[in-house]
Amino acid sequence: MPYVARVPYLSLRLLPALLLPLLLVLLPGLAGAGPAGAADRPVVELSRAQAGTGGSVTVTGSGWRPRALLTLLVCGQAEPTRGVTGGTNSCANADGRTVTTDAEGRFRRELPVVEPPVPCPCVVHVATVTGAGAGAEADAVLRVAGHAVEPLPADRAGGRLSLLADTRLRGSSGLLTWFGSPPARTLVVTVGNVGTSPVKDPVFQVGTAHGVFAPQWQDQRWRGTIRPGGKARIELPVELAAGAHGDYTVSLKYGGKVLAEHPWGVGRPWGVTLFWVLVCLVVPAALFRAGLAVVDRARPRRPVHAARPPRRRPRLRLRLPAARRSPALPWVSPDAEPPSSTRT
C-alpha cells in the first residue's frame, strides 16, 4: 500500500492566519505602484478651457521633476497629441511666464491669455528649461475667444528622427579663447529613424541660450541619409560670440521638437582683463615719458659764444712780516763789493 502524506488538520486551519499578515504588507506596495508610475508623466490642467484676450487662466501641474524651472506659453497651431507643430515661433513668447516646481513636482501659476502669432487650435504649452529633466513637456487645450481657427497641416507619413544616446560637446578652449576669441564646440548626438521612409539631408536647428533666456536658433544641414530603422551619428558645430562666458545651454531641434539639451559652462576670458590692466599701466607711463621729452626740447638753451670761461681759483700766497724776513746778504746786491780779506 503506497504511503500517503497526511497534513495535520491544525496546520491547515492556521494557513489563512499566516498568509493574512503577508498580504497586508504586500497590498500597500502593489496599490502604490499604479499612481507612482502615472506620476512619472507630467500633467497640466487649466482652471477653464476658454478665455478671451486680456483675461487669465490658472495653470496647475503635477508629475514634474522637483525644483525644475518651467516655461508657460500660449501657442497656436498645436494639439496635445501632436504638440506645437511650428515650434516656439507659434507661441506668444513675450507674454509667457516661468515657474519653479516644489519638492513634490507640482506648481500653480497665473497665465495671461493673449493671441498667438498663428491661428488656433491653441494650447498652453509647459516645458522644462534646463536641468536633468530638460525636454519634458505637456500641453493643455485652450480656446482663445475671438482668435482665428484653421485646421492643422496634414501629418506627413515619412521619416521621423528620435534621440538614441546622450548628447555631448566635443572640444576644448585654447589660448585664443582665453583672450576673447569665440568659444567653439562640436555637438555630437546619435539619432535613429523611427519612421517609414528615409530621411535625406535633414535640417537641424541648433540653439544656444544664456541662463534662463530663450535660445537663439540657427539652421544647420547634415549631409547624409538615415534609412528606416537605422541610426546615425550627427556632428554639428556650435559657436558663441566673442568674449562670451557663463552658463549656456545648447539645444537641438528637428521638426519643431526639441531632441536634446546639453549644458555648457564657458570660462571668463581673463586674458582680456590682463590686457586692459597692462594698458592702464603702460599708457600713462608712456605719456609721462613723452611729456618729459617735449619739455626738454622746448626748454631754451644758451648760445655757445656767450658762455663764460671757467673761473680760476686764486692762489693763496703767504706773506711774512718784515721783521721775520731774512736780511739781504751784502754780496748778493750788484752794487756791493766783496769785502777784502786783507788791507795793506
Side-chain angles (χ1 to χ4, degrees):
M1 181 178 181
Y3 174 77
V4 179
R6 296 182 178 179
V7 181
Y9 178 73
L10 182 60
S11 62
L12 293 177
R13 296 183 59 183
L14 294 177
L15 184 60
L18 296 176
L19 293 178
L20 182 60
L22 183 61
L23 293 175
L24 293 177
V25 174
L26 294 178
L27 284 178
L30 295 175
D40 294 338
R41 187 174 182 179
V43 178
V44 175
E45 296 179 355
L46 303 179
S47 59
R48 49 181 176 170
Q50 182 175 356
T53 304
S56 63
V57 294
T58 302
V59 185
T60 57
S62 60
W64 298 85
R65 184 174 55 87
R67 308 300 181 187
L69 181 62
L70 309 178
T71 57
L72 288 70
L73 300 172
V74 177
C75 303
Q77 289 291 286
E79 287 183 351
T81 57
R82 295 180 55 181
V84 183
T85 58
T88 54
N89 294 331
S90 303
C91 305
N93 299 308
D95 298 290
R97 294 293 184 268
T98 60
V99 65
T100 303
T101 59
D102 57 13
E104 298 180 357
R106 301 178 180 178
F107 71 90
R108 182 183 179 90
R109 187 73 161 87
E110 291 287 336
L111 178 65
V113 178
V114 295
E115 294 185 355
V118 295
C120 286
C122 300
V123 298
V124 173
H125 181 71
V126 182
T128 54
V129 179
T130 56
E137 56 185 11
D139 300 325
V141 178
L142 175 65
R143 291 189 295 273
V144 181
H147 192 55
V149 179
E150 293 182 1
L152 293 177
D155 191 4
R156 296 176 300 176
R160 292 182 300 163
L161 298 182
S162 178
L163 185 67
L164 299 181
D166 294 337
T167 61
R168 64 186 183 92
L169 290 176
R170 188 181 63 188
S172 59
S173 301
L175 181 61
L176 295 179
T177 306
W178 198 67
F179 280 95
S181 179
R185 293 290 189 275
T186 301
L187 180 64
V188 181
V189 297
T190 302
V191 297
N193 187 357
V194 296
T196 58
S197 62
V199 177
K200 183 179 181 180
D201 298 340
V203 178
F204 296 93
Q205 288 183 307
V206 179
T208 55
H210 183 49
V212 297
F213 293 97
Q216 298 179 355
W217 301 99
Q218 182 181 6
D219 294 342
Q220 295 190 17
R221 182 181 297 275
W222 182 78
R223 299 293 180 178
T225 303
I226 307 176
R227 300 186 178 278
K231 63 179 181 179
R233 182 182 180 185
I234 309 298
E235 296 184 1
L236 301 173
V238 183
E239 184 175 352
L240 301 178
H245 61 277
D247 296 330
Y248 285 81
T249 302
V250 180
S251 306
L252 180 66
K253 182 190 294 186
Y254 178 76
K257 182 179 180 181
V258 178
L259 298 180
E261 291 184 343
H262 194 282
W264 183 10
V266 184
R268 182 182 294 273
W270 292 108
V272 179
T273 305
L274 179 61
F275 171 78
W276 286 112
V277 170
L278 293 178
V279 167
C280 294
L281 294 178
V282 173
V283 171
L287 293 177
F288 178 74
R289 294 290 299 273
L292 290 181
V294 171
V295 171
D296 184 65
R297 287 182 175 274
R299 185 177 57 184
R301 297 182 178 275
R302 185 173 301 172
V304 179
H305 64 275
R308 296 180 179 180
R311 296 181 179 181
R312 296 181 179 180
R313 300 179 62 183
R315 296 179 180 179
L316 298 179
R317 295 181 179 181
L318 183 62
R319 295 180 177 274
L320 297 177
R324 294 185 180 182
R325 296 177 183 174
S326 58
L329 298 178
W331 59 82
V332 174
S333 177
D335 297 336
E337 296 182 356
S340 60
S341 58
T342 58
R343 289 184 179 184
T344 56

